[in-house]
Amino acid sequence: ARSAEPALALAAAQTRAPTLTCLDLGSCLALDDDAVSAVVAACGATLKRLGLRDCRKLTDACFSSLAASRALEDVDVGGNFNMTIRGAERFLEQRGALKRTRDDDDDPKAALSGLSVAGLGCDDAFLAAASARAPGLTVLGCGYGRFSSSAFRAAVAGLARLVDVRVQWTATFDDAALAALGEACGGVRCVDAL
């Protein structure tokens, strides 16, 4: 298992001259909420994509750090069994009612374009929140979901920019859900519906 120390050293270097835009710390089993907080504090002005898949020490507390990042556009927290779908839902709330573009004077945070919560038990309430609070999503990972087909169909109606959808191992992703995705999201390029 990789330790958190290299990520913390990288964060320390970024405090002097932040340039990092993409960081994948997936499967860093020693990475905890405090280490993510340090990375986001150091790199939050430039970090656009953060991969935290299968970092098993992370909890819902991590979402507060992620929500504070000004530049963050794409987050993958899939496979973190100590995180919950309610925590992900609060993350969307903390980011603001509707994420605006950088040129919006009221909220200079970047719009959230990608979110993967695979394995966190994505349900109807989360899909509704994602549709309402992050309508600009282009990537949605909600594999191993517990949502209904009707909730998925309703959500994609508000997520017309989706191009990459990952719903693997979700028994309720049926033909009607796939048809709704095709109708609402004409630019979809990738669907993982194993």
Side-chain angles (χ1 to χ4, degrees):
R2 291 187 295 169
S3 70
E5 283 75 23
L8 293 172
L10 180 63
Q14 290 293 304
T15 59
R16 292 184 290 282
T19 57
L20 193 65
T21 60
C22 179
L23 180 59
D24 189 342
L25 296 171
S27 298
C28 183
L29 301 179
L31 193 72
D32 61 15
D33 298 332
D34 291 336
V36 170
S37 180
V39 167
V40 170
C43 308
T46 58
L47 191 61
K48 292 182 178 190
R49 175 164 191 338
L50 182 57
L52 299 171
R53 179 174 287 280
D54 296 322
C55 295
R56 303 302 171 98
K57 285 189 174 182
L58 297 181
T59 69
D60 284 350
C62 178
F63 284 120
S64 293
S65 298
L66 299 177
S69 175
R70 290 282 180 215
L72 199 58
E73 298 173 0
D74 190 341
V75 180
D76 184 348
V77 293
N80 292 313
F81 55 77
N82 287 313
M83 297 178 100
T84 68
I85 201 64
R86 297 290 73 84
E89 197 171 331
R90 283 188 299 278
F91 164 70
L92 291 173
E93 292 168 10
Q94 290 171 345
R95 291 275 302 184
L98 292 174
K99 288 297 103 208
R100 299 164 183 91
T101 60
R102 283 181 239 287
D103 57 3
D104 188 331
D105 292 333
D106 294 331
D107 188 352
K109 289 182 184 174
L112 191 63
S113 63
L115 182 59
S116 179
V117 295
L120 302 189
C122 181
D123 60 14
D124 294 359
F126 177 81
L127 287 177
S131 179
R133 295 189 173 95
L137 283 178
T138 58
V139 177
L140 178 62
C142 51
Y144 301 90
R146 298 180 185 143
F147 52 84
S148 66
S149 177
S150 59
F152 182 86
R153 294 191 312 267
V156 297
L159 297 170
R161 293 182 175 178
L162 286 175
V163 295
D164 184 343
V165 179
R166 301 174 209 143
V167 290
Q168 68 276 21
W169 300 105
T170 302
T172 55
F173 187 78
D174 57 14
D175 291 346
L178 184 58
L181 179 62
E183 290 170 17
C185 308
V188 75
R189 290 184 227 138
C190 178
V191 177
D192 184 350
L194 175 65

